[in-house]
Amino acid sequence: MRVLFAGTPDVAVPSLRAVLGSRHEVIAVLTRPDAPAGRGRKLTPSPVAEVAAEAGVEVLKPLKPRDPEFLERLGELAPDCAPIVAYGGLIPKSALDVPKHGWVNLHFSLLPAWRGAAPVQHAVLAGDDITGACTFQLEEGLDTGPVYGLVTEEVRPTDTSGDLLHRLSLSGADLLVRTLDGIDDGSLQPQPQPADGVSLAPKLTVEDARVDWTTPAMRVDRVVRGCTPAPGAWTTFRGERLKLRPVQLERGRDGLAPGEVVVEKSGVRVGTGSHAVVLGEVQPQGKKAMPAADWARGVRPEPGERLGA
């Protein structure tokens, strides 16, 4: 098939490379406009745009997919199908109707679970044991279209959302190509999503990533892992923000108040609503990430001092 690929961040790159290497012809790529990046805030193409340019494929960067210029070009291209992975914008019906086989979205959950912008983060936050990725027919509703296929993935006890999303981006890329193959040869028909089991996964805010030390240690662990790398888990110490990397659960040792910091040879322990956790790396405001022990040697927490106080 002649396909238009839509996607923007790094997580979409494996899918683009897989489609480029398939029997289908990528006639154009739709991605978000260049955005400021780095210390100099220089306008930089998206990861998908860079790969497309390297492959010599036309790159379309409308401010919105409903822009008349984009819709006109889409009509001229007349793709047979439009695979889409983490594009970052709503596709209007005027664009959905153009490809003969529609738009096929690779979504990183087992629909109807975790419909929305942050399915992987919410799977980690919820403590799911199994998640996955699926391909479905894009329609105007939020991730409501019929499903073509899926792959499952175990959520490991130490997975951050970044770890899990990386694995899903690879297995999902293979699923996407197999879905396009099935659509092309007529062997694959999408099936309606179940009515039961619907859950929503809205984009996480910075406030969502703030650690509440009065919650149980398991919850603290999930919030930190679920918000790594983005939006980035954090707390405060002496009035300044302190970013947190994954922590270690420490069962059987209690006695610390929520947020209370104790520095020991074995590590920097912090109390929660249940038992203590051991800090991993932390990042003080305006500084680079460092082991918690190095941070503690610099700030020298006083007896009874707490994070988040």
Side-chain angles (χ1 to χ4, degrees):
M1 294 187 294
R2 299 171 68 256
V3 302
L4 174 136
F5 182 93
T8 298
D10 283 319
V11 72
V13 167
S15 288
L16 174 56
R17 292 193 187 280
V19 177
L20 284 168
S22 73
R23 72 191 195 207
H24 309 287
E25 178 190 1
V26 180
I27 57 174
V29 163
L30 168 66
T31 190
R32 300 295 295 161
D34 297 357
R39 288 188 175 182
R41 308 305 291 165
K42 180 182 177 182
L43 284 178
T44 304
S46 74
V48 162
E50 291 182 340
V51 172
E54 290 170 5
V57 176
E58 178 182 355
V59 181
L60 307 173
K61 305 178 183 178
L63 287 177
K64 295 181 180 180
R66 63 172 55 91
D67 289 355
E69 294 83 0
F70 167 70
L71 293 174
E72 180 180 358
R73 182 59 183 145
L74 180 62
E76 293 170 349
L77 290 167
D80 297 314
C81 190
I84 178 170
V85 185
Y87 166 63
L90 294 177
I91 307 299
K93 191 173 187 306
S94 53
L96 290 175
D97 292 341
V98 173
K100 177 171 62 176
H101 294 291
W103 294 63
V104 177
N105 193 3
L106 173 64
H107 183 76
F108 298 111
S109 81
L110 300 177
L111 292 171
W114 304 129
R115 293 174 176 171
V120 174
Q121 290 94 328
H122 281 274
V124 175
L125 287 171
D128 290 355
D129 295 320
I130 298 292
T131 188
C134 65
T135 48
F136 72 96
Q137 187 84 43
L138 195 64
E139 56 184 32
E140 289 186 280
L142 177 63
D143 300 334
T144 56
V147 174
Y148 284 103
L150 59 84
V151 291
T152 59
E153 180 71 39
E154 178 187 1
V155 183
R156 301 168 187 170
T158 58
D159 271 340
T160 65
S161 61
D163 297 331
L164 185 54
L165 189 56
H166 173 70
R167 297 202 304 275
L168 288 171
S169 73
L170 301 179
S171 59
D174 177 68
L175 172 65
L176 181 60
V177 170
R178 287 189 284 113
T179 299
L180 295 177
D181 291 347
I183 292 172
D184 185 31
D185 62 26
S187 64
L188 195 57
Q189 295 296 325
Q191 300 301 313
Q193 293 184 31
D196 297 329
V198 175
S199 53
L200 301 180
K203 183 178 179 180
L204 296 179
T205 66
V206 171
E207 193 56 35
D208 291 329
R210 183 172 188 166
V211 172
D212 180 355
W213 297 103
T214 66
T215 60
M218 186 70 73
R219 177 63 182 172
V220 171
D221 169 61
R222 289 176 183 173
V223 168
V224 176
R225 289 188 295 111
C227 294
T228 300
W234 63 283
T235 186
T236 56
F237 182 73
R238 295 176 183 168
E240 293 192 345
R241 186 170 296 193
L242 182 70
K243 292 184 179 180
L244 304 171
R245 302 295 192 271
V247 301
Q248 293 181 355
L249 296 176
E250 185 179 67
R251 300 187 183 279
R253 294 184 64 184
D254 299 321
L256 295 182
E260 184 178 356
V261 182
V262 173
V263 181
E264 300 177 344
K265 288 184 179 180
S266 59
V268 180
R269 298 171 59 231
V270 182
T272 72
S274 57
H275 50 272
V277 298
V278 179
L279 296 182
E281 283 193 335
V282 300
Q283 185 176 359
Q285 195 167 317
K287 297 182 180 179
K288 294 182 179 180
M290 63 184 72
D294 293 346
W295 166 77
R297 277 193 291 271
V299 299
R300 299 180 182 232
E302 298 290 337
E305 268 196 293
R306 301 188 189 189
L307 296 180

